[in-house]
Amino acid sequence: MLTARMLTPQQALAIGLVDQVVPDSWQAALQLADMLVANSAAAMAQTKHLILLDRRRRIREHAAAIDAARLAILDSKEFGDVVNHTPGAGRVRGN
């Protein structure tokens, strides 16, 4: 995804980006919808609730990791040298 390269359905399947490749995606979507509608509304609601709880937990963990990385950078000697304009600090960039 980061390369913006187009994938064939078979390539997407091979790398785990999709679970299956079907000849008629509309028909497959209708079959899935029929299967979901047949389930208990209460069971579906609880499943959705659990999925959203897990998603929120992962977002909190990811945000905490980002904060920790940011603080580690701010506390680093390299960052301090750049902020203080220490000669030779930071990356050397070409013209």
Side-chain angles (χ1 to χ4, degrees):
M1 288 189 290
L2 296 176
T3 65
R5 182 173 58 98
M6 296 296 290
L7 300 175
T8 66
Q10 291 73 25
Q11 289 171 324
L13 183 62
I15 64 171
L17 194 57
V18 298
D19 293 327
Q20 62 179 322
V21 175
V22 295
D24 185 351
S25 58
W26 179 255
Q27 188 59 39
L30 291 176
Q31 288 174 348
L32 177 59
D34 286 341
M35 188 171 36
L36 294 176
V37 168
N39 291 333
S40 155
M44 294 293 288
Q46 289 302 314
T47 300
K48 182 178 178 181
H49 176 72
L50 292 171
I51 290 169
L52 292 176
L53 279 177
D54 183 61
R55 182 183 296 167
R56 289 181 192 118
R57 178 192 54 80
R58 286 183 286 133
I59 289 169
R60 283 191 305 272
E61 289 175 0
H62 186 72
I66 290 170
D67 284 345
R70 181 180 52 79
L71 291 174
I73 290 167
L74 291 174
D75 289 341
S76 71
K77 179 183 180 321
E78 179 183 12
F79 182 79
D81 287 346
V82 170
V83 170
N84 294 322
H85 303 288
T86 303
R91 273 193 278 191
V92 176
R93 297 185 180 169
N95 293 338

